[in-house]
Amino acid sequence: KKKLKISGRELSSIPVQVFGLDELQVLEMSPERESCLRYRMELLPREISRLRNLTCLYVDSNNLKKIPAEIGTLSHLERLTLSNNNLSSLPPEMGTLQRLHSLHLANNSLTELPATLCQLRSLTFLDVSDNKIGTIPSTIRHLEKLETLLLLFNSLESLPEEVCLLRNLRTLWLGNNHLRSLPASFGELVNLDWGYNYCSCNFEGNPLESPPPEVCSRGPEEIRDYFLSFRRT
């Protein structure tokens, strides 16, 4: 089989035979419905390393507190969902997943954006919303292909200038943090959509006092209109 979905009682005690399916490409191990939440995985088995052909691994909405170092052996992995768990850290071995382009980490207990993630040069989508992240490392500049970065509901008080080097960013959500200012070169993120129908950059819920003049002077006209309306509200 190329795709396998495990739920119910089987999820809390994964049959060892699963890890013998070395041709498996997609593995889903997330509770389907609220009624299944009593059957949740507390530990991602180290045997996951046997599934060397996995491209997609879905393990969101479990009770995971730790990800084994063996995750780094899944060299073909392109999509990984770890949202809605109890993770406070990630293994450095995740930095070896050089084909990973989509990573979901929302609603965990991360206090900082792990530096190991900044090694994932192929990453285009990163969701770390609803954590406790207070700092972003300057090495985030290495995520040159990143198009979507979701940082809502964290504890950010500032953004490093290096965020402004992510010129492929099209969506950047920063709502409900503690931001009082933005980097001076923020307006150079010209691929953000500042239209009225859909704004891909979100600041609501921040004590943003006044963006630096460079933010409004370097960007398109829409960025100035956005901040004018933002200040009025």
Side-chain angles (χ1 to χ4, degrees):
K1 291 183 176 181
K2 301 289 178 128
K3 182 177 180 179
L4 177 63
K5 185 168 186 174
I6 302 175
S7 61
R9 292 183 176 84
E10 298 290 334
L11 181 58
S12 54
S13 181
I14 303 171
V16 294
Q17 294 91 335
V18 170
F19 302 108
L21 303 174
D22 53 8
E23 295 298 317
L24 201 62
Q25 294 179 344
V26 179
L27 178 57
E28 296 185 33
M29 296 190 292
S30 303
E32 273 187 312
R33 300 176 297 276
E34 192 171 337
S35 60
C36 297
L37 290 180
R38 55 183 163 175
Y39 305 117
R40 289 190 288 182
M41 185 168 42
E42 296 189 357
L43 178 69
L44 185 63
R46 293 180 177 179
E47 288 82 1
I48 196 75
S49 61
R50 298 180 188 174
L51 304 178
R52 297 296 179 90
N53 288 304
L54 274 187
T55 59
C56 299
L57 177 59
Y58 303 91
V59 285
D60 45 298
S61 301
N62 279 285
N63 281 326
L64 299 177
K65 295 182 179 179
K66 186 178 180 181
I67 301 299
E70 285 78 6
I71 194 80
T73 64
L74 304 179
S75 58
H76 292 281
L77 205 59
E78 298 176 359
R79 182 179 176 88
L80 176 61
T81 67
L82 294 167
S83 295
N84 304 312
N85 279 286
N86 296 305
L87 299 172
S88 58
S89 63
L90 297 174
E93 287 79 6
M94 280 190 62
T96 65
L97 302 176
Q98 291 304 310
R99 294 192 185 185
L100 197 66
H101 61 73
S102 182
L103 178 58
H104 300 244
L105 291 164
N107 194 23
N108 276 286
S109 299
L110 299 172
T111 56
E112 60 182 5
L113 190 66
T116 186
L117 299 187
C118 299
Q119 302 172 30
L120 303 175
R121 304 294 182 93
S122 59
L123 211 59
T124 61
F125 180 96
L126 176 58
D127 183 1
V128 284
S129 301
D130 205 3
N131 278 276
K132 303 174 183 177
I133 295 173
T135 58
I136 296 178
S138 60
T139 48
I140 195 171
R141 65 182 182 276
H142 297 312
L143 302 181
E144 299 172 353
K145 295 184 179 180
L146 200 62
E147 296 179 1
T148 300
L149 177 57
L150 308 182
L151 284 161
L152 299 92
F153 293 97
N154 276 288
S155 302
L156 293 172
E157 295 185 357
S158 63
L159 294 177
E161 284 281 347
E162 285 78 8
V163 167
C164 304
L165 298 176
L166 304 177
R167 301 299 169 81
N168 286 312
L169 269 186
R170 297 183 179 276
T171 302
L172 176 60
W173 286 1
L174 295 163
N176 294 91
N177 278 280
H178 306 306
L179 298 173
R180 293 188 176 277
S181 62
L182 297 172
S185 53
F186 192 86
E188 295 180 6
L189 294 174
V190 295
N191 283 322
L192 293 178
D193 176 13
W194 295 94
Y196 290 104
N197 294 328
Y198 172 74
C199 184
S200 65
C201 197
N202 174 290
F203 294 104
E204 283 71 14
N206 282 284
L208 205 58
E209 294 176 350
S210 58
E214 292 87 349
V215 172
C216 296
S217 63
R218 296 187 190 183
E221 183 177 347
E222 290 84 357
I223 200 172
R224 293 194 293 274
D225 294 339
Y226 174 83
F227 279 116
L228 285 172
S229 62
F230 182 78
R231 289 177 186 176
R232 285 196 294 269
T233 57

